[in-house]
Each structure stands twice: as C-alpha cells, then as structure tokens.
Amino acid sequence: MKTISTIVDDVSVSPEIEETFIKIKKALNAPFTPNFFRVWGISPESLKGIWPVMNHILTSGRVGRQLKEMIFVAISSLKGCHYCEAAHHAFCLSIGVTPEQIDSLINNYTADTADPKDKAAIDFAVRLAKDSHSSSEQDFQALRELGFDDEEIMEIIAMSGMCVFYNHLANATKINIDEGFVKKISKK
C-alpha cells in the first residue's frame, strides 16, 4: 500500500502543472520543484490555491525574504513540521542566514543573533503561531518603534498564518524531505 509521501514518485503531470512547477522553481529560486508541490500536483485545483499563497506572502511584499524564511524555520520547528523546517532551513542557508541563527530558530524558536528588529518580528510571528488571539495594540506599537510600518506588520501576521497552514499540509501528507534540501543542510 502506498503512503501519501510516496505518491510524489507517481504523479502524472499535465503540461499546465509542469508550467506551474517551473514557475515555483523560479519564484523560490530553487534548483528543483520541492516535493511539497509535486505531491499537490495530484490535485491541480488544490495546487492552484496553495501555490499563489506562498508566492505572494513568502516571495513578495516589503518584508525581506530572509526574515520570512527565518520565521518559517522557527514556526516549522515549533509545530514539528520536519519537511518545512528542512526546506526553509536550506533556503535560509542559500540566502545568508548563518548556521548559528538557524540553530537558534530550530531550538529556541527565535534568532538571538539577529538584529533586534528581526528578532522582534520572529518572536511576534511565533507567538501568533502558538495563539492567534495573542496579538495586541502593544505589539503593533513595539514593532513600529523598531521601524516596521503597519503594512509590514500585516505581512508578518500573514507569514505566521501561512506557516501554520503549510505545516498542516506538509504534516498531513507526510512528505519526504527532498534530497536536495538534505544535501544543502548537511553541507553547513
């Protein structure tokens, strides 16, 4: 009996899905289409909804990709999503996050070596991943004082929610971690 995590090997890819996979690789600046998206290729309608969320929240906007990837690692570790933790660990390494920062994100759900602005954003996003009711006017004020504007704060909130959503999808499908991510992490 096949498990969900092995379906990726048998997905029949239509030209439309292959085109989506090419867009994903390009937007993520990845050398391959991650297994996460390949598994969802079995459900084209789901993939049509899942990919644009990540494309807009992770790869676009005013908050930098590096900070967003750090948030993704911290929340994925918190939520026990080994797939997302490994994938975004590899992306962090590719865009200049240090191994020490990544270790802190994985073990403490924060980045003690990051600048205070990044640390505050990561801590806020992780707290929201634990309890989405925990945001307050004081959070907005503290983040504003560090230099974030309201649009950027909303992006941090969206990033936190997106991480929880993607962790759910990856954990539920038990996706195998891509060999390319494993190799990247082992080289650090």
Side-chain angles (χ1 to χ4, degrees):
M1 180 170 141
K2 287 209 169 259
T3 63
I4 295 170
S5 63
T6 57
I7 290 173
V8 69
D9 297 326
D10 297 330
V11 172
S12 176
V13 179
S14 69
E16 179 183 8
I17 294 297
E18 187 58 42
E19 185 176 314
T20 299
F21 288 168
I22 291 167
K23 289 177 185 175
I24 290 168
K25 284 174 35 178
K26 183 177 180 183
L28 294 177
N29 196 23
F32 53 86
T33 301
N35 285 343
F36 179 90
F37 296 105
R38 295 194 65 74
V39 164
W40 286 101
I42 201 165
S43 177
E45 286 304 311
S46 296
L47 182 61
K48 284 179 188 176
I50 292 167
W51 164 241
V53 171
M54 182 177 282
N55 189 30
H56 290 288
I57 295 174
L58 179 67
T59 68
S60 302
R62 295 193 36 236
V63 174
R65 171 94 184 259
Q66 185 175 29
L67 176 56
K68 290 177 178 181
E69 290 290 355
M70 293 170 74
I71 289 169
F72 219 141
V73 171
I75 291 174
S76 297
S77 180
L78 171 76
K79 294 293 188 178
C81 183
H82 304 295
Y83 181 85
C84 291
E85 180 185 312
H88 295 282
H89 180 159
F91 285 126
C92 276
L93 288 171
S94 295
I95 59 176
V97 180
T98 68
E100 295 78 21
Q101 288 173 312
I102 295 168
D103 287 344
S104 183
L105 293 166
I106 291 170
N107 296 311
N108 304 317
Y109 320 125
T110 191
D112 293 327
T113 59
D115 75 34
K117 185 176 178 181
D118 286 352
K119 183 178 181 345
I122 293 164
D123 293 349
F124 177 58
V126 168
R127 184 164 38 87
L128 291 179
K130 291 178 187 174
D131 178 8
S132 61
H133 296 282
S134 69
S135 64
S136 69
E137 188 175 327
Q138 290 81 12
D139 293 319
F140 272 72
Q141 189 56 41
L143 290 168
R144 285 181 192 128
E145 288 173 8
L146 287 168
F148 288 106
D149 64 28
D150 290 349
E151 182 179 349
E152 292 167 319
I153 296 167
M154 294 302 286
E155 280 186 39
I156 294 165
I157 294 170
M159 189 67 206
S160 178
M162 187 196 77
C163 292
V164 171
F165 172 61
Y166 277 79
N167 288 173
H168 174 88
L169 297 178
N171 283 336
T173 53
K174 297 171 182 55
I175 299 170
N176 292 322
I177 298 171
D178 306 75
E179 189 176 312
F181 292 145
V182 173
K183 286 179 181 176
K184 180 74 174 178
I185 292 167
S186 67
K187 290 180 183 178
K188 73 175 189 175

